[in-house]
Amino acid sequence: METSQNKKSRIAEIVIILMLLVCVALILTDLTINLVNELDTGEKEPVAIDATTTPTPAARPTFPPDNTPEAIIDS
Amino acid sequence: MQTQKIDRILGTIAIVTIILAWIVGANLTESDVVPSLQEAMPSADHFTPLNGGYAVMGDATENALMGYVSIASANGYGGPMKVAVAVDLEGNVLGMAIVQHKETPAWIQRVYDKDYIKSLQGKSYLDGFQIGEDVDGITGATYTTRALAEAALKGSRAVAGEQLGLDVPQEAAPQIRFGIPEITLIGLYVVGFIGHRGKFKYTKQARWASMIIGMIVLGFIYTRPLTISDVNKFLLGFWPGWQENLYWYLLIGGILFVFTVDNKNPYCEWFCPFGAAQECMGAIGGAKSRSIGRSKNLFLWVQRGLAWLAIVIALLFRNPGLSSYEIFGTLFDLSGSALQFALLGIVMVASLFIRRPWCTYLCPLRPVTDFYRMFRKWIMDIGNFSE
C-alpha cells in the first residue's frame, strides 16, 4: 500500500515537473518573440527631408492664397 | 543561515544587474522621428523641419504647403508615447503615426488591428478628444487609446496655435478618476486588514468574499490586476499623473505600505483576481498543495530567474510591458498570443488539482515580494529593529 502511495506521489511529481517545464518553455518562447518583434522595426519608406535644418526666412513655407494669416515663426 | 547568506548574495547580484540594465537602457538612443513622418502623411512629397515639428509639402514647389506634423507625447499604460500628428491648414488631423511606445504588445496590436488611428482622422483642434464622448475607445486597450487621443489633441492644438495662429481652447485641468475600481480596491484593503486580525472569527469567509469580488470587479470587469509591468513602470520612473491614475497609486502604494509596516502581502492571498480564479478551479477539482520533492528549490530559482529576466528586459528597452508574461489579460480580457492561451489552458487545468500553481511556481510577483521581504528583514537586522 505504501509502495503504491509512493508510486502515485512520484507520478504526480513527474507530471507536475513536466507541466512546469512546458510552461517555462512557453514563457521563454513568448518573451523571445516579443523581443524579436521589438528589435525588428521593419523597413519604412525613405522620407524626403529638406537639407536645411534651420529654416531661413526665405525658405519659410508660404500659405496658399486663401487669406490664411502667415504663421509667425521665431528663427 | 547558509541559505539566507546565499539569498542575500544573489539578491545583491540581481539588484546590481537591474541597476546596470536601467543605466544601459537610459542611454540607448530613442527612436528616430523621421521614418514616421511619411506614415503620418503618406501623400506628402517632402518635409521641412520647423521649430521642433515639420512643414508638410505636397510637391517640390514652396507654395504647396499641405499642413504640419507635430511630435506630441502622451502617457500610455506603459509610459510616454511619442506620436507624429499631421494636421492640415485648418487644424484638422490628417494622419498619425506612433514613433515610440511602451505598451504591452497585445494591446498595441489590438489598436493596429482595429485601425484605431483612422478614427482620429478628420478631428479638429477644437474637439475635446475625450474617450466615450467624441472619440471611441477600444475595450482592453483603454490607456493606449486614451494616449493616442491625447497625442492627437496636443499635436493638433500645437499646430493650430503655433503655426496657424488660431485661437486654441485652454487645456482642461486633469480630472480625478475615482470610480468603482478605486472604491473596490480600498474596500478590499479594508476587508483584508480586518479579516486577518487574529480575533476576527470569519477570516475564511472574508477571504473568499474578497477574492470573488477581486476576481469579478478587478479581473473580469475592469481587468486591473497587478502585473510585473506595474513594477517595471515604478522602477523606470514612468509614474503617471495621479489624478487620472489614482488606481495605480492606490494599488502600488497600498501594497508597499502594508508590506513595510506589517510584513504582510495584502494582495496575493486576499484579492489577486488570477489567484482567486485558480482557487475557484481548485474548489471544483479538490486542489491540494502538491510536493515536487527536490525539484522545489530548482523551480524556485527558475521562477526568480524569469522575474529577473522580465525586469532586466523591461529596463533595457525602457518598455514596462514588453516582458510581461502573465496571462491575466488572456483570461480576463481574452487577449493574447496563441502561446499565452496555451499557457492559460495548462495553468487552469492544473489549478483543478494543484493549489495556485501559477502563484507557486511561475508568477513573477512572488520573487519580487520575496525580495522585498528579504530586503526589509536585512534592514531590520542591520538597524536592530524589532517587528
Side-chain angles (χ1 to χ4, degrees):
Chain A
M1 198 60 178
E2 210 181 333
T3 312
S4 169
Q5 277 292 87
N6 282 346
K7 253 189 194 166
K8 277 186 184 173
S9 297
R10 192 79 192 122
I11 291 170
E13 246 180 66
I14 291 169
V15 167
I16 294 172
I17 289 168
L18 283 173
M19 177 208 79
L20 288 175
L21 288 171
V22 169
C23 289
V24 171
L26 285 170
I27 289 169
L28 288 173
T29 309
D30 198 45
L31 273 177
T32 307
I33 292 172
N34 283 346
L35 268 178
V36 167
N37 287 339
E38 180 74 7
L39 291 167
D40 177 23
T41 50
E43 279 199 28
K44 294 204 175 178
E45 287 203 20
V47 177
I49 302 281
D50 276 353
T52 47
T53 49
T54 32
T56 60
R60 226 175 256 172
T62 54
F63 286 89
D66 64 352
N67 299 325
T68 315
E70 192 171 340
I72 299 164
I73 301 161
D74 292 329
S75 54
Chain B
M1 276 305 279
Q2 184 70 1
T3 314
Q4 200 177 65
K5 197 175 170 185
I6 293 171
D7 274 358
R8 284 180 181 178
I9 291 169
L10 290 171
T12 307
I13 293 171
I15 283 291
V16 168
T17 47
I18 283 169
I19 291 171
L20 281 173
W22 197 100
I23 293 169
V24 170
N27 286 303
L28 288 174
T29 49
E30 295 216 333
S31 292
D32 188 12
V33 165
V34 168
S36 299
L37 298 179
Q38 202 76 56
E39 194 182 326
M41 192 71 183
S43 54
D45 176 76
H46 65 281
F47 300 84
T48 303
L50 199 66
N51 297 329
Y54 296 84
V56 182
M57 313 305 283
D59 62 40
T61 64
E62 258 192 57
N63 278 345
L65 175 69
M66 296 173 73
Y68 296 88
V69 176
S70 174
I71 309 301
S73 186
N75 275 331
Y77 175 77
M81 187 189 280
K82 208 190 277 187
V83 183
V85 183
V87 181
D88 68 14
L89 299 174
E90 274 142 31
N92 300 314
V93 175
L94 285 171
M96 289 168 62
I98 299 173
V99 177
Q100 192 172 41
H101 69 85
K102 317 281 182 194
E103 306 303 272
T104 308
W107 291 0
I108 201 74
Q109 190 55 48
R110 192 176 269 196
V111 167
Y112 287 136
D113 289 344
K114 299 260 183 196
D115 229 353
Y116 180 74
I117 284 176
K118 275 210 174 121
S119 70
L120 296 169
Q121 287 172 4
K123 302 290 293 174
S124 162
Y125 73 99
L126 292 167
D127 291 334
F129 289 88
Q130 293 296 315
I131 302 286
E133 289 179 21
D134 62 315
V135 169
D136 290 330
I138 295 176
T139 310
T142 310
Y143 287 95
T144 308
T145 49
R146 202 182 282 161
L148 284 168
E150 189 185 333
L153 173 110
K154 284 181 173 175
S156 59
R157 288 188 181 180
V159 167
E162 292 163 24
Q163 310 296 349
L164 303 175
L166 300 170
D167 269 330
V168 171
Q170 215 173 12
E171 200 177 315
Q175 288 181 330
I176 297 175
R177 281 185 209 278
F178 189 78
I180 294 171
E182 288 77 15
I183 294 168
T184 306
L185 187 59
I186 292 171
L188 291 172
Y189 275 127
V190 170
V191 169
F193 176 76
I194 296 169
H196 82 260
R197 295 289 107 186
K199 291 180 184 172
F200 190 68
K201 284 188 218 171
Y202 305 104
T203 299
K204 193 176 172 186
Q205 291 85 344
R207 189 173 164 271
W208 267 104
S210 176
M211 281 199 300
I212 300 286
I213 291 169
M215 182 177 70
I216 293 171
V217 179
L218 304 185
F220 285 109
I221 299 177
Y222 291 100
T223 318
R224 304 263 206 116
L226 180 69
T227 68
I228 197 71
S229 289
D230 296 305
V231 174
N232 292 335
K233 240 163 67 169
F234 180 81
L235 293 173
L236 279 165
F238 292 162
W239 298 11
W242 72 269
Q243 297 95 331
E244 296 193 329
N245 297 274
L246 188 57
Y247 180 91
W248 188 81
Y249 284 94
L250 286 171
L251 187 63
I252 299 280
I255 292 170
L256 274 177
F257 176 74
V258 175
F259 239 120
T260 306
V261 166
D262 218 9
N263 200 27
K264 296 254 189 310
N265 184 346
Y267 178 81
C268 291
E269 286 293 323
W270 277 77
F271 55 89
C272 169
F274 196 70
Q278 292 171 82
E279 287 218 33
C280 289
M281 295 295 281
I284 296 168
K288 287 186 245 186
S289 294
R290 309 267 176 183
S291 162
I292 52 170
R294 284 174 288 184
S295 305
K296 183 182 169 189
N297 212 38
L298 168 69
F299 279 101
L300 174 65
W301 284 101
V302 167
Q303 187 181 22
R304 289 174 174 178
L306 285 174
W308 171 85
L309 188 63
I311 293 172
V312 164
I313 288 173
L315 297 184
L316 274 175
F317 288 89
R318 310 291 286 176
N319 185 337
L322 177 64
S323 53
S324 175
Y325 58 83
E326 293 107 323
I327 43 180
F328 310 152
T330 315
L331 173 65
F332 298 121
D333 214 23
L334 297 178
S335 70
S337 64
L339 291 172
Q340 286 174 316
F341 275 104
L343 183 58
L344 176 67
I346 294 171
V347 170
M348 286 286 108
V349 168
S351 303
L352 289 167
F353 313 106
I354 308 168
R355 189 182 180 272
R356 291 196 171 213
W358 175 266
C359 306
T360 309
Y361 298 111
L362 298 166
C363 184
L365 292 173
R366 188 185 151 183
V368 172
T369 56
D370 283 351
F371 174 81
Y372 192 75
R373 254 203 191 108
M374 181 205 75
F375 181 72
R376 181 183 176 278
K377 186 172 186 316
W378 202 356
I379 298 294
M380 302 278 279
D381 288 346
I382 291 171
N384 274 326
F385 300 119
S386 55
E387 288 280 356

